[in-house]
Amino acid sequence: MKTKKIFLILWPVLALILEALPTGAVLCFAVSPSEKIRKTFSYFSLTVFGNANFGPLITAVLSCILLILAVLVLVTQRRGFALALFDCSIAAFIISLFPILYGMEFYSLTGAGISFLIAAEIVTSMLFLKQKFE
C-alpha cells in the first residue's frame, strides 16, 4: 500500500522533469524542398504551441493537474479525487500521443518516456481505485 502511494506521486513528478527538458517536443522546419531542420523544445515552450503542435503543452498542463490530484487523493482519501485522477491520466496519455499524428519525426524518445510515465500513472491510479474509500 505504501509503495502505491509513493508511485502515485512519483510518476507525475518524473513526467514533469522530462517535460521540462529541452528535448521533448519536436518541430520540423523545411528550409528547402529537400532539407528539413529538426529542433526540440521543452513541453512548456509556447513556440511549439504557436506552431500548431498543441499536444505537448496540453500534456504538460495535464501533468501538473495529475500531480495536484495525486496529492489530493493521498491527503483527503476521497474516491471522487481518485476517479478524477484516473480520468485525467487517461486524457493526458491520449494527448501525449498527439504529435504522432504529424508523423513519427515529431515524436521523441523523451516524449515516449513521458507517455510511458503517464501510462504507469493510469495503472497506479487504477490499483488505487480498487481499495476502499470513505
Side-chain angles (χ1 to χ4, degrees):
M1 179 62 181
K2 195 171 200 169
T3 57
K4 280 192 272 185
K5 289 181 179 181
I6 291 170
F7 285 121
L8 201 65
I9 298 289
L10 182 66
W11 301 137
V13 168
L14 291 175
L16 285 170
I17 290 170
L18 286 179
E19 289 165 355
L21 294 175
T23 58
V26 178
L27 289 178
C28 293
F29 299 102
V31 293
S32 72
S34 62
E35 184 182 354
K36 285 185 181 178
I37 295 176
R38 186 175 190 257
K39 291 191 177 185
T40 57
F41 300 89
S42 167
Y43 264 50
F44 292 99
S45 175
L46 292 177
T47 304
V48 179
F49 192 79
N51 283 297
N53 193 354
F54 303 114
L57 184 62
I58 296 171
T59 302
V61 170
L62 285 174
S63 294
C64 295
I65 293 170
L66 283 177
L67 182 60
I68 292 168
L69 285 172
V71 169
L72 285 173
V73 166
L74 294 179
V75 169
T76 64
Q77 294 291 317
R78 302 265 184 207
R79 185 170 178 80
F81 286 129
L83 282 171
L85 175 66
F86 179 71
D87 293 341
C88 186
S89 59
I90 288 175
F93 177 73
I94 292 169
I95 292 173
S96 74
L97 298 175
F98 275 10
I100 296 175
L101 295 174
Y102 295 114
M104 284 306 290
E105 66 267 8
F106 285 88
Y107 201 62
S108 65
L109 188 59
T110 306
I114 292 166
S115 297
F116 173 77
L117 289 170
I118 294 173
E121 182 72 8
I122 292 171
V123 172
T124 307
S125 63
M126 188 170 45
L127 292 174
F128 206 84
L129 270 173
K130 290 185 177 184
Q131 76 177 14
K132 298 267 183 179
F133 285 98
E134 293 179 2

